[in-house]
């Protein structure tokens, strides 16, 4: 594949529920993921970097600085959050009459969020490994002379994974073709040799 000169579009958004397990014996975290599921109707994603900069002054100047990568904050806009995602991600429950019920006891789960952005040559696929989504607001307007589609937006925070500090990975023109083609089959397992 050739390198992209420009990027445009957003599609193929998926989420995978993350399970974080702490081992008392090793003192370490392990993260595992469920099989990714599609999130239809993606409109936009916007991520702003979260960095902490510390500057040390000496000799009447900025002598040394450190920058810590704390992930991203942003928003994910889609046509409508599916009921299944409200249950799986946000912890809402169905009652005996199949009402979807939101309560104070709902527990939001961390997810891996996967998506792709098109380019003039090929799509770049992203996996954010530890994302906390916030439930969307409820909004509606009366219909007038024309119908205006209302979307839903989930604010999100992307944090470093507890076990290894990984934040995201990209599948691009340099990625192994088999790994690129099967990107949405499972959350990527990273290997450094």
């Amino acid at each position: 594949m050739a390198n992209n000169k420009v990027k445009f579009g957003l599609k193929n958004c998926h989420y995978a529920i993350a399970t974080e397990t702490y081992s008392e014996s090793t003192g370490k975290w392990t993260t595992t993921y469920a099989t990714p599921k599609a999130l239809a109707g993606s409109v936009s994603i916007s991520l702003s970097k979260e960095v902490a900069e510390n500057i040390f002054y000496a000799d009447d100047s900025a002598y040394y600085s450190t920058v810590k990568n704390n992930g991203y904050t942003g928003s994910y806009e889609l046509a409508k959050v599916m009921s299944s995602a409200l249950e799986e991600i946000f912890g809402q429950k169905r009652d005996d009459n199949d009402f979807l019920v939101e309560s104070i006891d709902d527990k939001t789960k961390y997810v891996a969020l996967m998506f792709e952005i098109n380019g003039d040559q090929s799509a770049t696929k992203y996996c954010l490994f530890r994302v906390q989504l916030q439930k969307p607001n409820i909004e509606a307007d009366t219909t007038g002379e024309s119908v205006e589609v209302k979307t839903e937006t989930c604010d999100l925070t992307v944090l470093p994974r507890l076990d290894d500090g990984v934040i995201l990975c990209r599948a691009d023109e340099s990625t192994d073709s088999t790994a690129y083609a099967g990107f949405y089959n499972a959350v990527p397992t990273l290997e450094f040799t």
Side-chain angles (χ1 to χ4, degrees):
M1 289 187 271
N3 288 332
N4 289 321
K5 293 180 183 173
V6 295
K7 63 180 180 177
F8 53 86
L10 171 68
K11 65 181 181 179
N12 286 335
C13 285
H14 287 66
Y15 71 92
I17 299 295
T19 301
E20 298 173 328
T21 307
Y22 181 75
S23 169
E24 293 282 342
S25 61
T26 63
K28 295 183 179 180
W29 287 91
T30 304
T31 305
T32 56
Y33 298 94
T35 302
K37 294 184 179 181
L39 277 167
S42 294
V43 176
S44 68
I45 191 164
S46 175
L47 300 171
S48 299
K49 64 184 183 244
E50 288 293 317
V51 295
E53 184 178 17
N54 187 12
I55 300 174
F56 172 72
Y57 289 90
D59 294 334
D60 286 340
S61 66
Y63 191 77
Y64 178 78
S65 71
T66 59
V67 177
K68 183 174 181 191
N69 185 350
N70 289 326
Y72 297 87
T73 56
S75 61
Y76 170 51
E77 180 184 7
L78 63 169
K80 180 181 179 301
V81 178
M82 299 176 299
S83 294
S84 58
L86 291 172
E87 291 178 70
E88 291 182 353
I89 298 172
F90 300 108
Q92 297 180 15
K93 295 173 183 62
R94 295 269 176 193
D95 81 340
D96 295 342
N97 293 309
D98 268 344
F99 287 116
L100 184 56
V101 180
E102 177 182 336
S103 78
I104 194 170
D105 297 322
D106 295 347
K107 302 283 190 257
T108 301
K109 296 180 179 133
Y110 286 105
V111 299
L113 188 63
M114 306 165 78
F115 57 90
E116 63 187 75
I117 299 173
N118 279 331
D120 57 306
Q121 301 295 322
S122 63
T124 300
K125 300 176 181 182
Y126 293 78
C127 178
L128 307 171
F129 288 98
R130 189 172 187 241
V131 178
Q132 185 160 50
L133 292 161
Q134 295 180 23
K135 65 185 178 193
N137 292 328
I138 299 172
E139 297 179 42
D141 290 329
T142 192
T143 302
E145 292 179 13
S146 62
V147 175
E148 181 182 335
V149 174
K150 286 287 191 182
T151 59
E152 295 183 339
T153 300
C154 297
D155 290 335
L156 61 85
T157 304
V158 182
L159 298 167
R161 196 161 52 182
L162 294 175
D163 33 342
D164 55 11
V166 168
I167 297 170
L168 71 82
C169 75
R170 294 177 182 87
D172 59 17
E173 61 277 349
S174 298
T175 302
D176 174 82
S177 60
T178 303
Y180 184 90
F183 188 76
Y184 297 107
N185 294 339
V187 173
T189 301
L190 306 177
E191 299 175 15
F192 298 94
T193 55

